[in-house]
Each structure stands twice: as structure tokens, then as C-alpha cells.
Amino acid sequence: MRSYQDRLPHPPKRVLVAGVSGVGKTTLGGRIAALTGGPHTEIDALFHGPAWTPRPEFLADVRSLIRTDA
């Protein structure tokens, strides 16, 4: 098993950040994207439409996102 100090054998293509509301997922995700040069996608931004209503396109948008290489 690797330690947090061990280098990864190759750079990750995708990083998922999960947690409860208010713990800093967006901040951490943005920082990871800045450090790796990868994209940062906020799932809440895909899910919520005007007045915090669910967007009908949410599932299609997520499916499109997970089909990308990174």
C-alpha cells in the first residue's frame, strides 16, 4: 500500500472529490485542477437550475462528462 508521501506511478486522469455540504469540496477541486491543469466540474452546477430546481439535462450532462478521457 502506498503512503501519502509516495509518488504516483503516473499522473491521475480523473480525480473525484466527495463529502458532505460545506467541507470545501469545491475549493479542493479547484485547487487540484489548478495544480494538474485538468478541468474542474462542479456537479451541483450541473444539477441545479434556476431557483435550485433540478435541471432535466442533468443525467445527459453527467453521462457526457464521464465519457471524456480526463
Side-chain angles (χ1 to χ4, degrees), residues 21-69:
S21 181
V23 297
K25 297 178 301 293
T26 299
T27 301
L28 177 60
R31 182 74 178 127
I32 291 169
L35 288 170
T36 64
H40 175 230
T41 303
E42 214 179 319
I43 294 296
D44 281 349
L46 295 179
F47 182 77
H48 296 292
W52 293 96
T53 57
R55 293 177 55 248
E57 307 88 358
F58 172 69
L59 287 178
D61 289 347
V62 170
R63 287 183 181 118
S64 176
L65 177 66
I66 63 174
R67 286 187 189 112
T68 62
D69 289 337

